[in-house]
Amino acid sequence: MSKDNIETSKGIILAGGSGTRLNPITFASCKQLLPVYDKPMIYYPISTLMLAGIREIMIITTPHDMEQFQRLLGDGSQFGVHFEYRQQPSPDGLAQAFLIAEDWIDDSSCALALGDNLIFSDQLGGLLRKAAKQHEGATVFAYQVRDPERYGVVSFNDSGRALEIVEKPQDPKSNWAVTGLYFYDKNVTKLAKKVKPSARGELEITDLNQMYLDSELLHVERLGAGCAWLDAGTPDSLMQAGNFVQTIQSRQGMLVGSPEEVAFRMGYINETQLLKQVNKVKKTELGRMLSSLVKHQ
C-alpha cells in the first residue's frame, strides 16, 4: 500500500435494510454488525474505502441501528478518518443513498460501498485509487458468478465494451455481476434525482449506472480469478466469507478487512496510534497480528 499523496473523494457505506435473508439472526442485530470471522461485517467495506484513499465516510443506516454503529465506530479518528451518520427511514433502493447524503456530498466525487460486501485482492489498492481519482464518469467492478440472475448483470461486446446493465434478469446475457462497490463523479446526485422507482418500488443503482453507460461515461473493471468478492447477506455466504477470512489470515498471515492495518500502512495513523488500538484487542489473534505490523515495518 502506498502512502503517496492521493486525491480524495468521499465515500458512503449503505448499512440499512432489514436483513430478512438472515432472519432470525437479524431479529436482534443489524446485519452489518454481525461477525465475519473476527471483525464486524462493516469493517470490510470501511477498509475498502480507506484503501481507495477515502477518509470522509458517511454511514447510512436505519434509525434503530444508528446508535450501535456510533458506539462501535465513533468519529473514525482511531482509523485516521472521519465518519458521519445519516438515517435511511425505509429501504427504498441503493441510489437513495445519494439523495440522503446530497448536502454532504456537495460538489465532490463519491463512492458507494454496500455494508455486506467483501472484496479482496493483492492488486485491489491500485484499482481502487485509480477509480477514486476520476474526474468524469463512473467506475463499477464486475465479477464472474454462477448465479447472475441474483445481481445486476453487465453484458459486453466482442471488444470488451460494456453494452447494458440489467437488474436481476431472468435470462442473463452474461455471468458478470456488478459488485457492491461504485465510484461516481460529482454529477452523481444530479443523476440520482432522475432515477424513477422500479417495479418493486426502489431507486435502482442499476438505473443510475445505465445513465452513465448511455453517456459513454461508465468504466467497468472486470475482476479476475485472483480476486475474491463475497456478498455476506445469506447464512451460506456469511459462513463462506468468515471461512475465507480465516483461511487467508491463518495460512498466509495477511489481515483481511482491518481498518487499523489499512490506516497504518496508508499513513493515516502512526505507530503510537496503532498500538493504542492494539491494546483494545490485545487478548485476541487480531491484536497479535496488528502488533506484528509495528515489529516488521
Side-chain angles (χ1 to χ4, degrees):
M1 299 180 194
S2 170
K3 298 180 183 180
D4 295 340
N5 207 3
I6 297 171
E7 184 178 335
T8 60
S9 59
K10 293 182 177 180
I12 295 171
I13 297 177
L14 193 53
S18 53
T20 53
R21 292 184 300 165
L22 282 165
N23 286 345
I25 304 170
T26 45
F27 285 163
S29 177
C30 176
K31 172 175 64 175
Q32 294 84 4
L33 292 172
L34 296 176
V36 175
Y37 185 49
D38 58 350
K39 307 171 205 74
M41 189 184 296
I42 197 170
Y43 270 33
Y44 297 88
I46 287 173
S47 300
T48 298
L49 292 182
M50 290 173 60
L51 189 57
I54 295 172
R55 301 178 71 175
E56 294 289 327
I57 299 172
M58 174 174 286
I59 295 166
I60 297 179
T61 187
T62 67
H64 175 74
D65 296 314
M66 181 178 290
E67 185 179 347
Q68 296 181 70
F69 284 103
Q70 291 173 322
R71 186 164 64 249
L72 172 68
L73 301 171
D75 64 3
S77 58
Q78 73 275 23
F79 303 143
V81 302
H82 179 72
F83 291 133
E84 296 274 349
Y85 299 88
R86 289 279 173 90
Q87 295 181 4
Q88 183 184 34
S90 60
D92 296 325
L94 305 186
Q96 185 188 30
F98 299 106
L99 306 183
I100 293 172
E102 178 182 3
D103 62 318
W104 177 79
I105 296 171
D106 195 19
D107 202 30
S108 299
S109 56
C110 188
L112 174 67
L114 302 190
D116 60 358
N117 273 221
L118 184 159
I119 300 178
F120 177 81
S121 170
D122 286 344
Q123 309 301 319
L124 188 61
L127 294 175
L128 296 177
R129 290 191 284 274
K130 179 182 177 182
K133 290 191 291 184
Q134 66 189 352
H135 292 290
E136 185 180 40
T139 297
V140 299
F141 297 87
Y143 190 83
Q144 286 185 295
V145 297
R146 63 182 179 88
D147 50 353
E149 64 278 358
R150 293 180 52 215
Y151 306 97
V153 175
V154 57
S155 56
F156 302 89
N157 63 16
D158 292 339
S159 62
R161 179 180 175 274
L163 293 176
E164 184 183 32
I165 302 177
V166 180
E167 183 67 22
K168 297 181 175 63
Q170 291 185 354
D171 185 20
K173 294 181 180 180
S174 84
N175 63 347
W176 287 95
V178 178
T179 71
L181 178 63
Y182 319 86
F183 289 83
Y184 300 103
D185 62 16
K186 65 181 182 180
N187 295 313
V188 62
T189 301
K190 179 174 66 176
L191 292 174
K193 289 180 178 179
K194 297 180 180 180
V195 176
K196 304 298 182 183
S198 65
R200 58 179 185 164
E202 295 192 3
L203 302 178
E204 307 285 359
I205 198 77
T206 295
D207 291 344
L208 178 61
N209 291 334
Q210 188 66 44
M211 288 180 185
Y212 277 97
L213 182 57
D214 290 342
S215 301
E216 299 185 350
L217 290 172
L218 182 72
H219 175 67
V220 180
E221 185 73 46
R222 287 194 263 193
L223 300 174
C227 179
W229 171 54
L230 296 161
D231 168 5
T234 68
D236 283 351
S237 60
L238 179 61
M239 178 171 286
Q240 290 167 4
N243 289 339
F244 173 82
V245 174
Q246 191 273 339
T247 298
I248 295 294
Q249 292 190 172
S250 64
R251 294 188 180 180
Q252 298 187 26
M254 297 171 58
L255 277 166
V256 182
S258 168
E260 300 93 342
E261 183 212 19
V262 176
F264 184 65
R265 293 194 185 276
M266 297 284 285
Y268 298 165
I269 61 175
N270 58 31
E271 180 179 317
T272 300
Q273 292 169 306
L274 175 62
L275 290 174
K276 184 177 180 181
Q277 293 305 113
V278 169
N279 192 53
K280 296 178 181 179
V281 291
K282 61 184 178 181
K283 294 184 178 180
T284 68
E285 180 65 11
L286 174 62
R288 185 198 66 78
M289 294 181 73
L290 286 171
S291 65
S292 70
L293 293 176
V294 176
K295 298 175 184 177
H296 297 107
Q297 64 174 316

